[in-house]
Amino acid sequence: MGRLKCFKKEDVLDKTVQLFWKLGFSKTSLSDIEQATGVNKSGLYSEFKNKDDLFAQSIHWYTQNCGLHEILLKEPFGEKNLENFLLFGPENAENKGCFVANSIREYSILPEEAKNVIAGHNQQTYQAVIKNLKAFIKDKDLEALATLVLIYKAGLALSSNMGEVKKIKKQVSYFLNGLKA
């Protein structure tokens, strides 16, 4: 009979999201993970194949639990959802930007499964952005505008890493007005 697991997978994922968010994939070591989670190497390997698997599951955990899609799928669809989507995250002082956007900076070295999670998340977000654009913008290329919104969101996430949070509300307002023009 195997040893009893003394931790919850969700707790480990919560803690590794914070760690990977702060240090990035490449700079996070197994000993960092052990220290942050309080779970030793053998315990981690009983639940996760390796660091790559732990990262992929962490990013999946984040995308499923961060609340971003709920913001975009709130009815009625429209400009307010997009405003809330664009403002989501920057006010968080502990974690700068967005975990997914920050992770994309290391895209070339990320595990394939993590890339697949990011791609799926981005596709769902793209579709939800289009639904909201349809509610208040007519006679424009919504696919192109949705791409522009996602690029702008990534830029806001990176901007908040530099501490430029105070300007963001005003910038988002100008950006949304520009989309309607």
Side-chain angles (χ1 to χ4, degrees), residues 90 96-98 101-102 105 152-168 171:
K96 302 293 186 202
C98 166
N102 288 354
R105 293 184 295 185
Y152 184 68
K153 173 69 172 163
L156 287 174
L158 296 176
S159 215
S160 69
N161 283 319
M162 299 173 2
E164 297 182 6
V165 175
K166 292 179 182 172
K167 302 176 191 174
I168 289 177
Q171 291 170 345

Side-chain angles (χ1 to χ4, degrees), residues 62-74 81 84-89 98 100 121-122 125 128 150 153:
Y62 172 79
T63 62
Q64 297 302 303
N65 293 287
C66 70
L68 197 60
H69 288 144
E70 288 80 1
I71 290 170
L72 286 169
L73 296 175
K74 186 176 180 183
N81 283 1
N84 290 335
F85 165 70
L86 292 170
L87 293 173
F88 180 81
C98 166
V100 174
H121 171 75
N122 286 347
T125 305
L150 294 178
K153 173 69 172 163

